[in-house]
Amino acid sequence: MHGMPQRPRKTLHILGWLWFAFYCSFALISPPLLDDADSVHAEVAREMIVRHDWITLHANGIRYLEKAPLLYWSMAASMRLMGVHTETARLPLALYTLALLLLVERFTREAFRSARAGLYAAMILLSSFGLFIFTRILIPDAMVCLWYVLALWAFWRMEAYAFDQCVPWRSAAIFGAACALNVLTKGLIGLVFPVGTITIYLALTRGRGVWRRAAQLRPLLTLTVLLAIAAPWHIAIAHANPSQGQPHGMQHAGRLFPFFWRGWSVPEPTWGHVHGWTWFYFVNEHVLRYLDLRVPRDYDTVPLALFWGLLLVWLMPWSAFLPQALAAVPLRKLLFRARLGAQDRTMLLLGIAALLPLVFFSFSTRQEYYVLPALPFLAMLLGRWLERETVEADAGTAPAPLHRAAMRSTVALLIFGALAALVCAYFLLHTTAPVGPVDLASLLKQNPGDYALSFGHFLDLNARAMALFRLPLAIAGVALFGGALAAWWARRDWNPHAANMLLLSAALAFLLAAHVGLTTFSPVLTSFQLSQAISRQIQPGEIIIVNDEYEAGSSLGFYLRRADIHILHGHSANLWYGSFFTDAPPIWEDDLTLRARWLTTQRIYLWTAPDKLPYLPVKPYLVAESGGKMIVSNQPNR
């Protein structure tokens, strides 16, 4: 498109070096992969290589049918090229994050014709706590952000053409490809978000001309590209995983109102009688999950108020400017049917794109990271507003409403930073660093009811445990207060650009503190240390048993390169549905089979929490203990 400002080389250098420093250096190496989703997803990619099966996903040798494949393909390709390591598992997600940052910078720069607005938007997203912390786990939501932004960028380019102009075929093809890649990343949500955003936008801006405009957007080409990219895998996996036996269908109790869907019940499968991939993936994992009817019922949901409130945390510290950025969305013009200019329409599109994921998940089961697709568009709105403030300051405009609003937000940040620094100082003054090695788990107060949250284990922290977090507390306290104070000082001197750069430095320092804290806490969240102890003595043919769900000790599988871990008292969660197919390996143990194995000459390694150690006919030998977990064996250590 003509007349668009080019990306300054300085912007590319800033984003590239900051991305490398915070997403592609220490963050790739530490902490080790965590139990649950982090290591399960890495193990799925590893087994993809071992089994030479790039169609049907497997975890611990069992069909893993609930996820779309693109993240696993990416990790498997990385491992195939550079070996199976923690870093190679994390590298693809880091590269997707870089692509997201560059795309957000370009979209913002072109949409608002400002290189500085593009830089601000990308920096806000890069330094946001939400994007950083949820790319510490191998989940595909940052990829969802990338394809969502790419789809709307392509639509925005098409929308720039008038009714009587031909919409470029390349933009339509990019839109179709972005939707297809999003479908291959996270399922039908990859269509719902971009198509839903565009539908709402056209309904608000085109009125009766919606269908005419939609027809001008080359829908046939878009659909062709989408199906060409997304359909082959869906057809192949459906063919490879048909139903077995005679599975039962859904039943309805007959109640119609209110919430008629609550009357449905979903019978559980039995061995050899199980629906195939098509039913499980589309009906169970999409429709029934959204309606809170999915089987198995191994999940919880974040309270709605917390889900929305955490948005301020995930955008911290930039969320202080969020009210002003959102107020710039031209809702008042829409209400009074005023004519919208090009930038008004862009602001409206970004506002709808940010709001839709939040509203969509407000009516379904949800996790904290489901808010992530909204962050890039909020960053773009924030970047545009902060750029307008700097233009106002540079022009010496009086009165200066944007500068006054920014000062109020900075004062609010300063108050919050002062309170946070006081809390950090309290723990620093009232705790002392422990002498010698200390197992963090021994200092925690467990709250299992909070573990439905992605980082619910952090709510186990108490005053005693804080003694191990003195360094991240000190960094966080200085960053939150010092950064806010420096930003306030710069804004007071009418230098908002310097204030934004100082706030960026504080946000990055806080991310460093978060990473140090996560690394300190990681022994509670991973079984890596236990896997290292086992690896020094385990021999082929010896059995590993996890006394819980597979996810509780899943990092054992990845780090020991084992896809045959046995499960005691944990027939649920991700492996549950696939275990009913007739090719599922016999890995399920109960108390009787465990006792029988314990008395044989075959060596058994039992992973368990100390307070859940089952009755064993022979006293166990302790192999290792770490993070509130231990490995015991029926034979002495070698």
Side-chain angles (χ1 to χ4, degrees):
M1 299 177 72
H2 301 294
M4 295 297 180
Q6 298 298 309
R7 176 187 292 135
R9 183 172 297 181
K10 182 179 179 181
T11 294
L12 189 61
H13 289 168
I14 291 172
L15 293 179
W17 282 111
L18 289 180
W19 166 80
F20 179 80
F22 283 87
Y23 289 84
C24 199
S25 55
F26 59 82
L28 292 185
I29 301 168
S30 67
L33 294 179
L34 310 180
D35 291 322
D36 207 349
D38 201 26
S39 53
V40 169
H41 293 173
E43 175 61 13
V44 169
R46 190 191 71 82
E47 292 187 32
M48 187 177 284
I49 299 172
V50 173
R51 301 175 69 95
H52 305 288
D53 185 351
W54 295 71
I55 302 298
T56 302
L57 310 182
H58 291 79
N60 200 39
I62 292 178
R63 303 189 202 201
Y64 185 66
L65 304 180
E66 60 191 66
K67 301 297 183 183
L70 189 55
L71 173 63
Y72 309 99
W73 286 344
S74 304
M75 289 192 292
S78 176
M79 294 177 190
R80 188 73 175 267
L81 290 172
M82 295 175 282
V84 179
H85 309 289
T86 302
E87 309 90 88
T88 53
R90 287 176 171 154
L91 179 60
L93 196 56
L95 294 174
Y96 283 120
T97 302
L98 175 62
L100 172 63
L101 296 172
L102 294 176
L103 180 60
V104 164
E105 185 276 333
R106 178 171 182 172
F107 193 172
T108 310
R109 170 168 45 86
E110 292 181 352
F112 301 116
R113 298 180 180 273
S114 168
R116 180 175 287 179
L119 174 63
Y120 281 172
M123 289 193 314
I124 288 168
L125 187 60
L126 181 148
S127 62
S128 65
F129 182 56
L131 181 67
F132 179 79
I133 204 66
F134 287 118
T135 50
R136 301 311 92 221
I137 310 172
L138 294 176
I139 55 177
D141 294 76
M143 299 167 60
V144 173
C145 296
L146 170 62
W147 309 131
Y148 189 17
V149 174
L150 181 61
L152 291 194
W153 174 70
F155 169 75
W156 174 80
R157 292 174 68 88
M158 290 188 285
E159 181 66 359
Y161 289 81
F163 266 128
D164 56 348
Q165 292 181 301
C166 182
V167 171
W169 67 266
R170 289 182 181 177
S171 296
I174 291 173
F175 178 79
C179 290
L181 292 169
N182 221 349
V183 169
L184 290 173
T185 298
K186 195 134 181 169
L188 296 182
I189 209 73
L191 277 177
V192 170
F193 287 169
V195 173
T197 297
I198 292 170
T199 301
I200 296 171
Y201 169 82
L202 290 178
L204 291 175
T205 58
R206 299 294 179 177
R208 296 179 180 179
V210 168
W211 296 111
R212 180 186 170 193
R213 186 55 175 167
Q216 294 175 328
L217 299 178
R218 299 182 182 264
L220 184 59
L221 173 61
T222 297
L223 182 62
T224 301
V225 172
L226 188 153
L227 292 177
I229 296 174
W233 175 77
H234 289 81
I235 295 171
I237 192 172
H239 183 265
N241 297 273
S243 297
Q244 293 184 355
Q246 297 179 334
H248 296 291
M250 295 176 60
Q251 300 174 350
H252 197 274
R255 184 177 64 180
L256 295 180
F257 301 102
F259 308 117
F260 65 91
W261 60 85
R262 302 287 186 187
W264 287 102
S265 62
V266 185
E268 295 188 354
T270 57
W271 190 84
H273 298 277
V274 57
H275 288 287
W277 173 86
T278 303
W279 181 91
F280 180 75
Y281 185 74
F282 286 113
V283 178
N284 193 63
E285 290 301 310
H286 285 79
V287 179
L288 298 184
R289 180 188 284 269
Y290 188 82
L291 298 177
D292 197 18
L293 296 173
R294 172 187 177 265
V295 292
R297 295 303 301 269
D298 60 348
Y299 57 94
D300 207 338
T301 188
V302 176
L304 185 59
L306 183 62
F307 177 71
W308 281 80
L310 283 173
L311 179 64
L312 301 178
V313 177
W314 305 145
L315 271 173
M316 191 175 69
W318 309 103
S319 47
F321 304 97
L322 197 54
Q324 296 94 319
L326 292 176
V329 177
L331 295 180
R332 182 172 296 181
K333 287 186 178 182
L334 272 179
L335 291 174
F336 291 98
R337 300 182 180 276
R339 185 176 182 276
L340 298 180
Q343 288 209 4
D344 288 331
R345 291 195 299 271
T346 299
M347 296 287 287
L348 180 63
L349 179 66
L350 298 179
I352 296 169
L355 187 61
L356 181 61
L358 299 172
V359 174
F360 181 83
F361 287 120
S362 294
F363 296 95
S364 77
T365 57
R366 55 196 164 268
Q367 291 295 319
E368 313 95 293
Y369 53 85
Y370 286 8
V371 75
L372 221 58
L375 297 191
F377 302 101
L378 294 175
M380 293 170 70
L381 292 172
L382 285 162
R384 186 255 187 185
W385 191 89
L386 292 173
E387 185 268 343
R388 287 184 61 217
E389 184 215 355
T390 60
V391 170
E392 180 188 77
D394 293 342
T397 305
L402 299 181
H403 178 72
R404 290 200 303 270
M407 280 298 294
R408 289 194 295 268
S409 294
T410 307
V411 169
L413 266 181
L414 184 57
I415 294 172
F416 171 78
L419 294 174
L422 287 174
V423 173
C424 294
Y426 172 84
F427 285 113
L428 289 172
L429 294 173
H430 290 80
T431 59
T432 55
V435 178
V438 176
D439 190 345
L440 173 61
S442 65
L443 305 177
L444 300 176
K445 180 183 179 182
Q446 294 190 349
N447 299 284
D450 296 322
Y451 296 164
L453 300 174
S454 298
F455 289 97
H457 283 276
F458 282 89
L459 299 178
D460 292 346
L461 288 169
N462 51 33
R464 287 198 311 154
M466 285 296 183
L468 297 177
F469 292 83
R470 294 174 59 83
L471 177 58
L473 282 171
I475 298 173
V478 171
L480 292 173
F481 178 68
L485 179 62
W488 173 82
W489 197 277
R491 270 202 165 82
R492 194 193 66 162
D493 289 342
W494 286 80
N495 194 345
H497 180 68
N500 294 332
M501 294 299 102
L502 289 167
L503 207 54
L504 171 68
S505 301
L508 294 174
F510 182 81
L511 296 189
L512 179 61
H515 179 81
V516 174
L518 178 61
T519 302
T520 303
F521 199 87
S522 65
V524 177
L525 304 175
T526 181
S527 299
F528 170 76
Q529 291 81 2
L530 300 180
S531 72
Q532 297 303 102
I534 297 176
S535 65
R536 291 190 286 268
Q537 49 186 300
I538 193 169
Q539 299 295 325
E542 297 178 341
I543 296 177
I544 303 170
I545 300 177
V546 170
N547 180 25
D548 205 328
E549 296 174 347
Y550 171 71
E551 293 75 9
S554 55
S555 55
L556 292 176
F558 179 81
Y559 285 113
L560 293 173
R561 313 292 191 262
R562 296 286 294 260
D564 58 351
I565 292 177
H566 288 224
I567 309 299
L568 173 68
H569 302 147
H571 191 190
S572 58
N574 292 324
L575 304 189
W576 179 80
Y577 195 82
S579 70
F580 294 104
F581 286 88
T582 53
D583 61 351
I587 61 170
W588 309 103
E589 305 285 350
D590 56 31
D591 290 325
L592 292 178
T593 59
L594 173 64
R595 292 168 193 166
R597 289 185 184 277
W598 204 258
L599 294 173
T600 66
T601 57
Q602 184 180 38
R603 187 165 194 185
I604 308 297
Y605 294 91
L606 176 64
W607 179 104
T608 184
D611 60 344
K612 294 183 179 179
L613 182 66
Y615 169 77
L616 298 169
V618 177
K619 183 178 178 180
Y621 298 90
L622 180 65
V623 177
E625 187 171 8
S626 174
K629 308 171 286 286
M630 65 180 184
I631 300 286
V632 296
S633 178
N634 60 339
Q635 296 181 21
N637 295 334
R638 294 188 176 95

